[in-house]
Amino acid sequence: MLRAASLSLVITLWSSLSWAAPAIQNVAPRGLQIGGVTRVTISGTDLAAEPQLILPAGGTATLVGDAKPNKLEFDVTLPADVAPGLFPLRVANDAGISAAVTIGVDDLPQAAMTDKIEQLPIALTGNLTGAQLIKTTLTGKQGERLVVDVEAKRLGSNLRPVVRLLDDRGAQIAFSPQHESISGDARLEFTLPYDGEYVIQLQDALYKGANPGFFRMKVGDLHYADLTFPLGIVRESSVDVEPVLTSLGEAKLTAAASSAYAPQLSPQIKTPHFTGAAPRLLVNQNAEFVELRQKPGERIETPTAPVAINGRLSGENERDEYVVPIEPGKKYRVEVLAQRLGAPTDGVLEVHKAQGGGLGSNDDQPMTGDPALTVDAPADAEKLLIVLRDLQGRYGPEYVYRIEVTPLSIGDFTLTADTNIWNVPAGGVLTIPVSVKRRGYGGPIELAWDGEAGDFALSGNVIPAGATSTLLSVASPGAGRFAVARLIGKAQVSGREVVRNVLVQPSDSGFVTAQQVEIGLGTINQPPLGVALASPFSSDKLSLGSTVSVPVQVTRREGVAGPVRLKLLSTQVTPQKEVPDPKDKNKKVKVDDVERTLRLATDVIIPAEQSDATVTIAVPKDLADRSFDLALQAELLSADQKNVVATATTAAQRFSLAAPIYLELAGETTYRFAGKLFRSEGFQGAATIKVSGLPSGATAADVELAADKSDYVIEIKLPAGMKLDALAGVKLTAVTQKNGGETTSNETSLPLPKDP
């Protein structure tokens, strides 16, 4: 009984000290109703500490009942003017902010999947895995328009939906496979032929549905628009766009101007019962050109590159030709976006000199059917002729495309960070690296929030000229604060301002998505671990080949115990060196060159009962002559030191070199030690002075002393890099012959001076 009681106490204590950020595992239903109240159940982990639901703009959420660590219930109210579409949903609480899950927002009543649909329209949430076949029935009327839209892939599910509509005899009358225009989801549209009962069937395309297999099945007289024409818009401009792959007919949609640097925006949707994501337009800082041809086959001249061309194939076997002014003798990237945006266009791209002469052609790239070319414009070419056609000669309103013509001679850059969840300790900072990949631009880049970010403050937000990264430190404005924001980088490149979003999620889409740039900012109200410098660095200068020491103090929240390991964060790109391949002696492999890396001189682990330590940073002798950001990361370890259970960071500090040169002795160093041999009265034999205890690599020759000599000099050679104190264990002895045998003198140590 005592043992069981003790175990129960340990579990309760550990649970009460949980400090992990909230994590969402499931949401039911997977949609919210515009102009109504939806009760939402969220399951996950670490949810309970003062939870708040982060919703699309204008929504409110009221907690129902008590918050539990693994379950929350909210009544969510959305005003009638909230835009329909797919949006991220997050939970924030005292331990930070969660990763986002995608939910649908529309004006449909929300319900769980059911065997019989009693009202239309309706949005049903369910789950399907393996070879499962899900069915539901409805009563329909002759001439009634019916849309069945299954959202799965668009919500992040692994289900590959296929949907069928059967009549009351069990005969299939409509079918939808997966459609690329809606990210691999299924949607059918059908006019019912008569009054009666109908069956909707849903299955995985391969009868091997993987977890998670959640979905939303929306049924009714629904409307949709998957694409627009044009496909892009210039930032800060407003444009009327034509919906494509749509049920909206010839209606125009308006994309309002925005001063933000969001990579995409959507036009305003006011149509009732709209389903799916609102169509997206790519936002461009350069020129946008829209095809307007007076007659088929006409060549059209565009603005000077960089330019994005929006076109459509309107006739069978059509070849759309564009003349693009360029700078002669420069390199250009010509890339088509069509299938990656959801259009069916299977483009074939050709690039020529406008006056004649081909420069290349392409019909696809790895992982996509969209073509692209990189061409060197000849010195006599002031214009490029760009031609696009469909591989099979297809055409129609949905065969839209976008051609981006980019001069690679103009400087540019790409910014990335490793995570999109930034949980900041109250009273401390979160320090994370932001990396830059440069193309023809080596100057500074300033990082800033794009619009509101809940007053989360930034430091270290300038990437220096020539640097490949910065250590960005983020401070929270206070307990209970959170935000969802975008981080941008600005630079003046060749007299023009270039602004790029910081990408926090990888993607192979060929364009920047909204999900790639959204950062969840949360506050850890009672962080389990903190770390700070007990006193500042004595200087912001680093000396080559030296060490820098600084006292560090860690704090553990009440009830938290464990050893803390310290690590150095640095913006230095780790140097590499070649070493023999342990698997093949004839080959070499590259490994990190630790000796040439900014690093902690020794490993530092602060015992559980201590909170202070001194860290020593070793500076390589050949460190590059540029600025470097340094910060310390503390890791709270489990008792066996095998797992990291919490981390904390200091604010970053920027250092530069005190001098770009370092002097040391190279090659062998020879030390000479002079001595005297004393003989007893009447003894006049020869002797040999011997050296013992030499460190590996050091050498010394024995010294032979004739019978009439007593002064000697011992020479010891040390290899490069070995210091004099390595000779502390060396001993000298003298050996001579007496009465036919060998006799040995006393041992004497070397008189070591200070290491020069």
Side-chain angles (χ1 to χ4, degrees):
M1 293 296 293
L2 179 61
R3 185 179 183 87
S6 298
L7 179 61
S8 175
L9 175 62
V10 170
I11 292 174
T12 302
L13 179 61
W14 181 258
S15 176
S16 69
L17 294 177
S18 176
W19 50 70
I24 300 174
Q25 295 173 341
N26 193 35
V27 179
R30 285 265 167 179
L32 302 175
Q33 185 178 11
I34 298 171
V37 179
T38 308
R39 178 157 294 184
V40 176
T41 301
I42 297 175
S43 58
T45 57
D46 302 291
L47 300 174
E50 299 296 327
Q52 300 181 65
L53 204 58
I54 303 178
L55 298 164
T60 60
T62 303
L63 183 66
V64 178
D66 295 330
K68 299 178 181 179
N70 62 348
K71 183 179 178 181
L72 301 172
E73 282 192 339
F74 289 95
D75 280 342
V76 178
T77 303
L78 296 184
D81 59 354
V82 168
L86 303 179
F87 297 93
L89 180 77
R90 302 173 188 262
V91 170
N93 63 18
D94 285 352
I97 195 170
S98 74
V101 297
T102 303
I103 59 167
V105 173
D106 46 51
D107 62 2
L108 309 181
Q110 310 292 316
M113 192 67 200
T114 180
D115 293 337
K116 183 172 179 58
I117 297 174
E118 300 291 350
Q119 64 169 342
L120 292 177
I122 191 75
L124 303 172
T125 293
N127 191 76
L128 187 155
T129 57
Q132 188 179 6
L133 181 67
I134 290 181
K135 300 179 182 180
T136 187
T137 63
L138 61 90
T139 301
K141 294 184 177 297
Q142 182 180 11
E144 184 177 1
R145 177 177 176 270
L146 188 74
V147 173
V148 181
D149 186 12
V150 179
E151 292 173 345
K153 290 290 188 181
R154 287 170 285 179
L155 300 179
S157 173
N158 286 324
L159 176 65
R160 296 157 293 199
V162 171
V163 65
R164 291 179 169 85
L165 181 65
L166 312 180
D167 63 14
D168 56 3
R169 299 168 300 167
Q172 178 178 303
I173 56 176
F175 166 79
S176 173
Q178 294 178 267
H179 294 298
E180 290 303 318
S181 62
I182 48 176
S183 303
D185 280 340
R187 182 180 62 215
L188 65 80
E189 181 177 357
F190 191 70
T191 301
L192 300 182
Y194 42 75
D195 295 354
E197 295 292 315
Y198 294 87
V199 178
I200 300 171
Q201 291 185 348
L202 176 66
Q203 68 181 65
D204 181 77
L206 300 179
Y207 292 96
K208 295 180 180 179
N211 276 314
F214 53 80
F215 65 86
R216 291 180 80 217
M217 177 188 287
K218 294 180 285 183
V219 185
D221 185 6
L222 311 179
H223 293 283
Y224 55 88
D226 300 335
L227 295 173
T228 65
F229 183 77
L231 293 165
I233 184 175
V234 176
R235 177 179 166 269
E236 295 187 306
S237 67
S238 177
V239 64
D240 289 337
V241 297
E242 173 191 338
V244 176
L245 291 172
T246 183
S247 65
L248 301 181
E250 297 182 358
K252 292 287 187 180
L253 303 176
T254 299
S258 173
S259 61
Y261 289 93
Q264 299 175 1
L265 58 79
S266 294
Q268 300 170 4
I269 302 292
K270 298 180 180 179
T271 304
H273 306 337
F274 188 86
T275 180
R280 61 194 172 193
L281 287 93
L282 303 185
V283 179
N284 190 4
Q285 296 177 50
N286 300 315
E288 288 279 329
F289 179 79
V290 180
E291 172 195 23
L292 291 173
R293 296 184 193 274
Q294 300 299 319
K295 56 183 179 180
E298 177 187 16
R299 287 186 180 180
I300 304 176
E301 184 159 327
T302 74
T304 302
V307 63
I309 303 167
N310 296 272
R312 171 186 277 151
L313 298 171
S314 301
E316 187 175 6
N317 295 316
E318 180 175 313
R319 289 169 55 90
D320 285 354
E321 299 186 356
Y322 301 93
V323 177
V324 182
I326 60 164
E327 185 178 354
K330 301 296 184 181
K331 188 183 293 288
Y332 286 82
R333 176 72 173 175
V334 183
E335 183 160 8
V336 175
L337 288 170
Q339 293 187 4
R340 286 173 289 179
L341 293 173
T345 312
D346 187 1
V348 177
L349 175 67
E350 302 172 15
V351 179
H352 308 263
K353 293 192 298 182
Q355 66 268 40
L359 298 176
S361 64
N362 181 257
D363 67 353
D364 58 29
Q365 302 177 75
M367 307 300 293
T368 177
D370 289 338
L373 284 169
T374 299
V375 298
D376 291 306
D380 63 345
E382 296 184 349
K383 297 179 181 179
L384 293 179
L385 172 62
I386 296 175
V387 181
L388 188 75
R389 61 182 175 86
D390 183 78
L391 181 64
Q392 302 175 52
R394 297 172 299 173
Y395 67 99
E398 69 272 26
Y399 284 86
V400 294
Y401 58 83
R402 177 180 174 87
I403 306 174
E404 296 180 348
V405 185
T406 306
L408 299 183
S409 58
I410 295 179
D412 205 345
F413 54 88
T414 302
L415 299 165
T416 57
D418 290 339
T419 177
N420 62 350
I421 303 297
W422 295 7
N423 283 317
V424 183
V429 297
L430 172 69
T431 296
I432 57 173
V434 176
S435 301
V436 57
K437 184 177 180 180
R438 300 174 182 269
R439 189 196 74 205
Y441 171 70
I445 301 168
E446 182 181 3
L447 302 176
W449 297 120
D450 183 20
E452 292 296 322
D455 294 326
F456 282 79
L458 302 176
S459 59
N461 58 314
V462 175
I463 302 177
T468 58
S469 63
T470 186
L471 290 181
L472 182 70
S473 295
V474 186
S476 168
R481 301 294 292 273
F482 58 86
V484 178
R486 292 184 302 271
L487 187 67
I488 56 175
K490 297 182 178 182
Q492 290 293 322
V493 181
S494 301
R496 65 188 184 102
E497 184 178 59
V498 175
V499 181
R500 296 290 179 258
N501 284 273
V502 176
L503 308 182
V504 292
Q505 281 188 338
S507 173
D508 57 2
S509 61
F511 54 92
V512 179
T513 66
Q515 291 76 20
Q516 279 183 276
V517 300
E518 278 196 352
I519 300 170
L521 294 163
T523 302
I524 307 172
N525 290 354
Q526 293 182 314
L529 179 68
V531 61
L533 303 184
S535 61
F537 285 97
S538 58
S539 170
D540 62 357
K541 301 294 184 182
L542 299 175
S543 296
L544 295 177
S546 68
T547 58
V548 179
S549 295
V550 64
V552 177
Q553 185 173 56
V554 298
T555 55
R556 302 173 181 87
R557 194 173 77 191
E558 184 178 356
V560 175
V564 174
R565 178 171 59 205
L566 298 179
K567 288 186 173 182
L568 182 68
L569 303 179
S570 165
T571 54
Q572 182 192 19
V573 177
T574 303
Q576 301 273 293
K577 65 179 180 180
E578 287 190 342
V579 298
D581 187 342
K583 298 180 180 179
D584 187 343
K585 295 181 179 179
N586 297 320
K587 295 182 179 180
K588 291 189 175 182
V589 294
K590 288 187 176 182
V591 298
D592 290 347
D593 192 344
V594 177
E595 293 299 317
R596 299 178 59 217
T597 303
L598 282 163
R599 64 196 184 278
L600 295 186
T602 58
D603 293 337
V604 180
I605 295 182
I606 303 174
E609 66 277 7
Q610 295 182 16
S611 59
D612 299 299
T614 296
V615 298
T616 300
I617 300 169
V619 182
K621 295 175 288 189
D622 61 347
L623 188 66
D625 187 12
R626 61 169 63 104
S627 62
F628 293 94
D629 294 351
L630 300 180
L632 292 173
Q633 177 172 292
E635 298 177 338
L636 180 65
L637 303 177
S638 57
D640 60 6
Q641 300 188 12
K642 292 183 178 180
N643 298 301
V644 176
V645 295
T647 61
T649 55
T650 66
Q653 182 168 333
R654 185 156 292 166
F655 294 83
S656 59
L657 291 187
I661 52 177
Y662 174 76
L663 181 66
E664 73 172 3
L665 297 175
E668 289 185 342
T669 302
T670 301
Y671 291 96
R672 292 181 174 84
F673 299 91
K676 190 177 185 70
L677 176 70
F678 293 90
R679 297 177 176 86
S680 62
E681 186 176 351
F683 180 74
Q684 295 184 348
T688 302
I689 311 300
K690 293 181 174 291
V691 182
S692 62
L694 286 171
S696 177
T699 60
D702 294 344
V703 175
E704 301 291 341
L705 280 180
D708 61 343
K709 302 292 184 182
S710 59
D711 293 325
Y712 66 89
V713 174
I714 291 289
E715 290 189 353
I716 301 178
K717 294 182 179 180
L718 302 185
M722 183 176 289
K723 296 184 178 181
L724 186 58
D725 57 11
L727 301 181
V730 173
K731 305 293 184 183
L732 301 183
T733 56
V735 178
T736 189
Q737 297 290 324
K738 182 181 179 182
N739 299 327
E742 188 176 84
T743 185
T744 302
S745 72
N746 62 303
E747 282 187 341
T748 185
S749 299
L750 297 178
L752 297 181
K754 290 184 179 180
D755 190 13

